[in-house]
Amino acid sequence: MLELKNITKDYFVDKKPFQALKGINLFFPRQQFCSILGASGSGKTTTLNIIGGLDKYTSGDLVIEGLSTKTYSDKDWDNYRNKRIGFVFQSYNLIPQLTLVDNVAMSLTLNGVSARERNKKAKLALDAVGLKGLYNKVPNQLSGGQMQRVAIARALINDPEIVLADEPTGALDSKTSVQIMDLLKNISKDRLVIMVTHNRELAEQYSDRIIEFKDGTVINDTYADKVDEAKKEEATLEEENKVKLNDFTLIDEKDKKHKKKEKKSSMSYKTSLKLSFKNLLTKKGRTIMTSVAGSFGIIGVALVLSVNNGFGNYVNRLEVETANQMPLNVSSYTVTYKKDPNFVPNDQFPDTQVVLPQLSDQKNPEVNFNNITHKYINYLDKLKNEDKLISDYVISYGEQYAFNLTAQNPVSKESYKIKNGSFVSYSDMISSLTGLPTNFFHVLYGDQTSYDVIGGRYADPTKMNEVMLMVDSRNQIPLPVLKELGFYDNTDDTIDEKYAEEHPISFDDIFNKKLKVFSNEEFYTERKKEQVSYSNKPIYYYEQNNINELYEANDKGIELKIVGILRPKKDATIQTMAAGLCYQNSLQNYLVDENSKGDVYEHLENNMTWKDGAKATELVKDLQKLTEYMEDGGSSDSIKEGFNNLISKYFSFYSIFSGESSTAEGKPYTIENYLTWASTIGANLISDDLKFGGVDEMNAYFKKISAGIAKFIATNNKNNLYEIYPYVIDLLGYINGYNNIQNLIIFPVDLSSKETLLKKLDSFNEIDESNVPDHAKDSKEVVLYTDAVGAITGNMTQLIDILSIVLIVFASISLVVSCVMTGIITYVSVIERTKEIGILRALGARKKDVGRLFESECVFIGLGSGAIGCLVAYIATFPINAIVNNIYPQYNIGRIADLHYSSIIILIVISILLTFLSSLLPARAAARKDPVIALRSE
């Protein structure tokens, strides 16, 4: 039962009310074919729209099944249209991009029916109206009569109780009109059909009832005298079918609260996406152009991310490839600086016409002397052999452990001791960061997988006489090294690089080269005595034996055999091992052991290192006195003189193996000269059996001295003392070294285990306070390492990230522009699809369902933009990589632009998100459109 009670409807024209309906009272039974006649503007279509829930009445009440609709919300009206109303329009109002099945099934789609069931029902409905087999056609492939049949099938698909037809035959010929009227007549046998028409003849022929409208009022109703009787019948039927009082809402008349009985109509996201996708397909050109335009921002961001990722991979690969060559460095001491909290910088851009000294906020240097004891060496052995975190570690000893390497001049056949020096090269720069040896006769370090053996074989670790020759990527070795090793005449200055290029060294010449090393006891013999003016004690010298005889003797020294030639791998970005001759740890251990005993070693112990606690104590006390003097504000000249006095008192200036005194070499007795030599000789004050109180106590004294020097520099601002301070630290560092160890180089097994190794090394410094003597509470046995390479690559990665963020911000501007453009295009789409909006609202779609259509459309555009942008950026990486690698082939850069799949996913998601955001305003505008006005648009 449907009843209109005193319905009025006002419209506003030029802000003035116009009453379209003036108190309409009508009653409609459950089953009837009713035609509404009237001139244009009489109110018949407005009445039909109110009955259908498309338009809202101004006053009165629309009663459905005895229940008022005054309290209906938008959702209730949407549900009412979907479940109880079927619309048949004069202009068919089919959605052009959908097939006939999808058009007919739209009501079921909004009702949440499964795809299989709604397709089945849609086909049956099309069969019923005579369109069997035309399921997959689209509306523009049909005639007008066929399209109206589709509209009728759509109206009936949800089995509505009321069918509303607005001029269903207005656009049809007479023959087709009769066919449509026959269908409607047949439909009215079990439901209410209300038709608005201008055709009185058809109305009188087919209708059970005719209502005539004029100027917003009912002037004639052929069913008026039967209304009371019909109401009684309806009341009786309602009493018998109370359970079926309402299919979609029950209203408690006492509190007027709605109680949901079943699920409200709603359009799923899947349906929204399907409708939007099909709409976009009808406008392929514009869709593609929009997606391409929106992809520009994605292309920019994608290229930035690809370069960032490529650089990151390059840096990581660089570190991974050189992980066992870019080690941790433990030197004899480390110096750190703290920032001065009270530092106040000078004003910028001053108006004064003076020049000021540059101020630094780094003050208060702190020195930690690394006591590389047997305990620490054993700890490294554990990390290497048990924990498998260290592939190897290399110890750099003092001069007395530099070994005596000899060669023979290929021209004069004279044998000579090789001067194991260092030559400026790229590897020296790396060594300065890592602490790796820079001289050309050094220990072989790193994993053999880091190098290619281009000649011979890799040395047998069990054979200490087997050595390797290291060349660079171009098979080069510095000419001075080749001359020192005896491949060219080392006395002929005319042999230059041009000559060497014309006379290269063959691999056979290298493998046949004879080299020998000797212990100190074998290399030095006769001792001489000489009195010098600056010392009251005799100075002892050792002279070299006849090198020619040693070189030829079969029972002296160790003859080295070059068994292989190493070269960095092609994919190695950095060469860390200095070019030259590489010996094995087994040889180093043997010679260190040999040089730690005998007359020469005893001479060194007596003259260069002190084992009696009294002498060490005396030196430390003198250093403390000098420190106190510095703290009291002593002059820099006096302090230098004090250091010179200490040197004269405690140390002898001579080159222990040369036989020449420092005075003969013309070198003044200055602290700078002494400390330079001290760092070479590696004077040692401390050993495991030093009877002085142990390492902790000595280290405590050193810390006090260092702190005093630092305080003096900070307090008195004696700039020239900055020149002294590093030498003092050198002195303290080297005399505090264990067994003359100057450097300890630790190689991680690989990059992945490096972090664990660092934690293990840090844990060594976690000392139980209870085991530390009271006098050494402030100087615990701490060994600090330096990870210079990790810091450099970390800073490089951070810099790349910062630059990438800046570039992404700039590239994102185009994303914003694309977002705005997409919003504008979406709003144009809203205007173009206004009719479709009205159709969907008439079928029961909610406002949010309509908005979701355009949001879905933007999602597809965003997906297209993201996919196109990422595809273009990915393709662009190939020429970028080719160009960069062609310009810099020597660096083995690889894919410097590498767009990772995760970046692609993220960019596509961002593109979708941005276009979705751009759709919100247009989607809201679409949702707020009046369905009646939308249906009238063309």
Side-chain angles (χ1 to χ4, degrees):
M1 182 184 73
L2 181 69
E3 186 173 7
L4 283 71
K5 292 184 177 180
N6 199 29
I7 294 291
T8 66
K9 176 62 180 178
D10 295 337
Y11 292 107
F12 284 85
V13 180
D14 294 332
K15 298 183 179 180
K16 296 179 180 180
F18 169 75
Q19 196 169 39
L21 296 180
K22 304 171 183 178
I24 302 299
N25 290 281
L26 290 173
F27 175 83
F28 297 95
R30 294 176 181 271
Q31 182 272 315
Q32 190 179 67
F33 192 144
C34 176
S35 293
I36 299 177
L37 300 176
S40 296
S42 62
K44 57 185 185 301
T45 300
T46 301
T47 302
L48 197 72
N49 289 335
I50 289 175
I51 293 173
L54 286 175
D55 210 350
K56 296 180 181 179
Y57 48 85
T58 304
S59 64
D61 194 6
L62 176 64
V63 179
I64 304 170
E65 300 289 355
L67 300 177
S68 171
T69 60
K70 287 182 179 180
T71 58
Y72 269 26
S73 65
D74 287 340
K75 290 183 179 180
D76 291 325
W77 284 117
D78 296 336
N79 199 49
Y80 166 69
R81 289 193 301 274
N82 179 260
K83 291 184 170 62
R84 301 181 66 92
I85 303 296
F87 285 99
V88 180
F89 301 99
Q90 177 182 352
S91 56
Y92 324 126
N93 287 345
L94 301 177
I95 301 175
Q97 65 266 25
L98 298 183
T99 64
L100 301 190
V101 168
D102 290 335
N103 265 286
V104 173
M106 183 55 64
S107 294
L108 294 176
T109 302
L110 295 171
N111 208 5
V113 179
S114 65
R116 176 178 294 182
E117 184 178 352
R118 66 174 180 255
N119 286 339
K120 179 181 178 182
K121 287 187 175 182
K123 290 178 180 179
L124 290 174
L126 288 170
D127 293 346
V129 296
L131 296 177
K132 186 174 183 180
L134 304 180
Y135 310 132
N136 295 320
K137 289 186 176 294
V138 292
N140 62 8
Q141 295 175 317
L142 305 179
S143 66
Q146 288 175 319
M147 285 192 283
Q148 194 61 286
R149 289 172 183 269
V150 175
I152 293 173
R154 181 181 62 190
L156 297 176
I157 188 68
N158 218 18
D159 195 21
E161 298 175 5
I162 303 169
V163 175
L164 303 178
D166 187 6
E167 296 285 356
T169 61
L172 304 176
D173 59 73
S174 58
K175 181 180 179 181
T176 307
S177 298
V178 171
Q179 294 174 348
I180 297 301
M181 291 303 296
D182 288 338
L183 278 172
L184 292 175
K185 182 64 177 178
N186 189 53
I187 292 169
S188 67
K189 292 178 180 179
D190 59 355
R191 71 194 75 217
L192 175 62
V193 177
I194 303 175
M195 179 181 70
V196 169
T197 182
H198 288 93
N199 195 326
R200 180 177 290 275
E201 182 181 350
L202 286 177
E204 291 177 349
Q205 181 180 352
Y206 289 96
S207 301
D208 301 327
R209 175 185 182 182
I210 296 177
I211 301 173
E212 294 187 56
F213 272 69
K214 184 179 181 180
D215 297 332
T217 61
V218 176
I219 61 173
N220 185 34
D221 184 359
T222 61
Y223 194 67
D225 56 346
K226 299 179 181 179
V227 169
D228 292 339
E229 183 179 349
K231 286 184 177 179
K232 289 181 182 180
E233 291 179 0
E234 291 290 340
T236 302
L237 187 61
E238 288 175 8
E239 187 67 26
E240 294 175 355
N241 300 281
K242 286 183 179 179
V243 178
K244 292 186 177 181
L245 189 61
N246 195 314
D247 284 342
F248 60 100
T249 310
L250 284 177
I251 301 176
D252 189 333
E253 293 292 343
K254 293 182 180 180
D255 57 14
K256 302 295 182 182
K257 292 182 179 178
H258 293 243
K259 298 180 180 180
K260 296 181 181 178
K261 182 179 180 180
E262 59 182 44
K263 184 180 179 182
K264 299 292 177 86
S265 64
S266 64
M267 181 185 293
S268 66
Y269 283 100
K270 183 178 179 181
T271 302
S272 299
L273 291 171
K274 182 177 180 181
L275 288 174
S276 299
F277 182 69
K278 290 190 174 183
N279 178 67
L280 291 173
L281 288 179
T282 62
K283 306 177 183 65
K284 297 184 184 69
R286 188 177 73 180
T287 301
I288 293 173
M289 290 180 65
T290 304
S291 297
V292 170
S295 69
F296 290 146
I298 296 295
I299 292 172
V301 176
L303 287 176
V304 172
L305 288 177
S306 65
V307 173
N308 176 64
N309 185 54
F311 264 113
N313 292 339
Y314 176 67
V315 172
N316 290 337
R317 178 165 59 86
L318 185 151
E319 190 171 1
V320 169
E321 290 174 353
T322 57
N324 61 349
Q325 301 179 59
M326 306 294 272
L328 308 173
N329 180 20
V330 181
S331 59
S332 57
Y333 65 90
T334 57
V335 182
T336 56
Y337 294 86
K338 289 187 176 180
K339 288 192 174 183
D340 185 357
N342 300 318
F343 174 74
V344 179
N346 290 328
D347 295 335
Q348 289 185 325
F349 312 110
D351 296 330
T352 57
Q353 296 183 353
V354 296
V355 177
L356 302 173
Q358 185 176 11
L359 302 180
S360 173
D361 62 346
Q362 289 190 339
K363 301 291 182 180
N364 306 323
E366 291 187 354
V367 182
N368 179 79
F369 297 103
N370 291 320
N371 296 295
I372 309 175
T373 61
H374 283 300
K375 177 181 178 182
Y376 193 72
I377 300 298
N378 293 336
Y379 185 70
L380 295 183
D381 286 333
K382 176 182 178 297
L383 297 180
K384 177 181 178 181
N385 301 322
E386 297 180 17
D387 298 342
K388 307 298 182 183
L389 296 174
I390 296 176
S391 63
D392 201 2
Y393 60 84
V394 177
I395 299 175
S396 296
Y397 292 93
E399 180 68 19
Q400 61 267 46
Y401 298 106
F403 320 134
N404 305 294
L405 178 64
T406 61
Q408 189 178 67
N409 189 297
V411 177
S412 66
K413 304 302 180 182
E414 288 291 323
S415 301
Y416 59 92
K417 180 180 179 181
I418 293 175
K419 298 177 182 178
N420 188 16
S422 175
F423 296 89
V424 177
S425 65
Y426 177 63
S427 60
D428 290 342
M429 182 185 70
I430 300 299
S431 297
S432 67
L433 296 174
T434 61
L436 292 171
T438 60
N439 48 350
F440 61 81
F441 182 55
H442 58 78
V443 70
L444 177 66
Y445 55 83
D447 195 334
Q448 70 182 75
T449 58
S450 303
Y451 312 101
D452 287 326
V453 180
I454 62 173
R457 58 177 174 80
Y458 203 83
D460 186 345
T462 63
K463 297 179 180 179
M464 64 181 180
N465 68 314
E466 293 190 353
V467 296
M468 308 285 290
L469 189 67
M470 184 73 195
V471 300
D472 66 10
S473 59
R474 293 180 172 83
N475 285 22
Q476 298 175 152
I477 295 177
L479 179 59
V481 175
L482 293 174
K483 294 178 75 171
E484 273 300 312
L485 291 175
F487 292 109
Y488 297 105
D489 186 354
N490 65 327
T491 63
D492 189 352
D493 294 336
T494 62
I495 297 178
D496 55 13
E497 292 180 353
K498 183 178 180 181
Y499 174 87
E501 283 184 342
E502 295 173 352
H503 300 81
I505 308 300
S506 69
F507 282 11
D508 289 337
D509 291 338
I510 292 173
F511 295 140
N512 293 326
K513 185 64 179 177
K514 179 181 177 182
L515 300 166
K516 295 187 76 173
V517 290
F518 303 91
S519 67
N520 289 338
E521 291 296 318
E522 292 176 316
F523 203 72
Y524 301 99
T525 54
E526 189 176 1
R527 180 184 302 178
K528 290 185 177 180
K529 297 182 180 181
E530 181 179 333
Q531 196 76 20
V532 294
S533 58
Y534 57 86
S535 176
N536 295 324
K537 63 179 181 179
I539 304 300
Y540 295 89
Y541 297 99
Y542 272 81
E543 286 186 338
Q544 298 174 353
N545 287 326
N546 187 300
I547 299 179
N548 285 320
E549 293 179 1
L550 288 174
Y551 189 81
E552 298 298 336
N554 294 327
D555 59 342
K556 299 290 184 181
I558 299 174
E559 183 175 337
L560 302 182
K561 181 178 179 60
I562 302 176
V563 297
I565 302 173
L566 298 180
R567 183 176 65 193
K569 285 187 174 295
K570 289 184 179 180
D571 57 356
T573 309
I574 297 177
Q575 177 181 352
T576 56
M577 188 181 293
L581 203 60
C582 308
Y583 54 84
Q584 301 188 83
N585 278 323
S586 55
L587 178 64
Q588 176 175 262
N589 295 335
Y590 170 80
L591 290 174
V592 166
D593 183 62
E594 289 296 309
N595 289 346
S596 297
K597 58 189 177 183
D599 293 339
V600 177
Y601 174 74
E602 184 180 351
H603 174 75
L604 289 172
E605 286 288 286
N606 291 334
N607 289 275
M608 298 305 297
T609 62
W610 305 322
K611 285 207 168 185
D612 60 68
K615 193 172 185 180
T617 303
E618 187 179 353
L619 171 62
V620 171
K621 288 181 178 180
D622 284 341
L623 283 172
Q624 284 182 301
K625 289 179 182 179
L626 183 58
T627 302
E628 293 171 359
Y629 176 67
M630 293 169 64
E631 290 181 306
D632 291 338
S635 67
S636 58
D637 290 337
S638 299
I639 293 170
K640 281 189 175 182
E641 184 179 354
F643 273 115
N644 286 331
N645 290 335
L646 289 181
I647 292 166
S648 300
K649 182 177 181 180
Y650 293 104
F651 301 100
S652 300
F653 283 100
Y654 58 90
S655 177
I656 184 64
F657 296 132
S658 69
E660 296 179 354
S661 69
S662 60
T663 52
E665 295 175 354
K667 295 181 180 179
Y669 307 148
T670 63
I671 183 173
E672 289 85 353
N673 279 337
Y674 168 70
L675 292 173
T676 301
W677 291 343
S679 65
T680 303
I681 297 171
N684 183 22
L685 280 176
I686 297 179
S687 64
D688 286 347
D689 57 349
L690 175 64
K691 300 176 182 179
F692 177 68
V695 171
D696 291 328
E697 184 174 351
M698 181 66 81
N699 205 27
Y701 278 115
F702 289 149
K703 282 184 178 291
K704 291 178 182 178
I705 295 167
S706 172
I709 296 171
K711 182 178 179 181
F712 175 80
I713 294 173
T715 304
N716 297 277
N717 197 24
K718 302 289 186 180
N719 291 328
N720 57 343
L721 285 178
Y722 277 107
E723 301 174 2
I724 299 176
Y725 184 69
Y727 291 111
V728 176
I729 300 304
D730 273 343
L731 169 63
L732 299 179
Y734 283 109
I735 63 178
N736 193 45
Y738 163 74
N739 199 27
N740 292 321
I741 293 178
Q742 297 180 356
N743 256 352
L744 180 63
I745 313 301
I746 303 172
F747 296 93
V749 170
D750 50 43
L751 187 62
S752 59
S753 62
K754 182 177 179 180
E755 185 176 353
T756 304
L757 172 61
L758 296 182
K759 291 180 180 179
K760 290 281 188 178
L761 293 176
D762 291 337
S763 66
F764 178 83
N765 298 326
E766 297 173 1
I767 302 173
D768 186 1
E769 289 282 351
S770 61
N771 296 328
V772 180
D774 293 337
H775 63 268
K777 288 291 185 183
D778 296 330
S779 59
K780 292 185 288 187
E781 187 177 343
V782 174
V783 179
L784 302 181
Y785 58 83
T786 302
D787 184 14
V789 176
I792 291 173
T793 54
N795 291 336
M796 188 183 303
T797 303
Q798 185 178 10
L799 178 60
I800 293 170
D801 290 339
I802 293 172
L803 291 175
S804 298
I805 291 172
V806 173
L807 293 175
I808 287 173
V809 170
F810 283 111
S812 298
I813 295 175
S814 57
L815 283 178
V816 175
V817 174
S818 301
C819 183
V820 174
M821 180 196 67
T822 304
I824 294 173
I825 294 175
T826 304
Y827 185 72
V828 173
S829 180
V830 169
I831 296 173
E832 292 177 343
R833 298 173 66 187
T834 301
K835 188 71 171 282
E836 182 181 337
I837 294 171
I839 295 170
L840 292 172
R841 292 302 308 278
L843 296 176
R846 301 169 300 173
K847 290 182 178 179
K848 66 167 61 177
D849 295 331
V850 172
R852 193 178 291 164
L853 277 177
F854 298 95
E855 293 167 0
S856 301
E857 187 172 309
C858 284
V859 165
F860 280 114
I861 292 176
L863 177 61
S865 298
I868 293 172
C870 291
L871 179 62
V872 172
Y874 178 75
I875 294 174
T877 61
F878 290 97
I880 291 173
N881 291 325
I883 292 171
V884 172
N885 282 279
N886 187 55
I887 296 175
Y888 304 105
Q890 68 273 22
Y891 294 114
N892 190 28
I893 294 175
R895 288 187 60 81
I896 198 64
D898 186 12
L899 187 59
H900 197 263
Y901 71 89
S902 59
S903 299
I904 294 176
I905 295 173
I906 292 172
L907 285 173
I908 291 177
V909 171
I910 290 174
S911 178
I912 293 173
L913 179 61
L914 288 176
T915 52
F916 174 78
L917 293 176
S918 71
S919 73
L920 293 181
L921 288 178
R924 184 179 180 187
R928 295 175 64 181
K929 283 188 175 295
D930 189 307
V932 175
I933 298 175
L935 283 169
R936 291 173 185 166
S937 67
E938 292 295 341

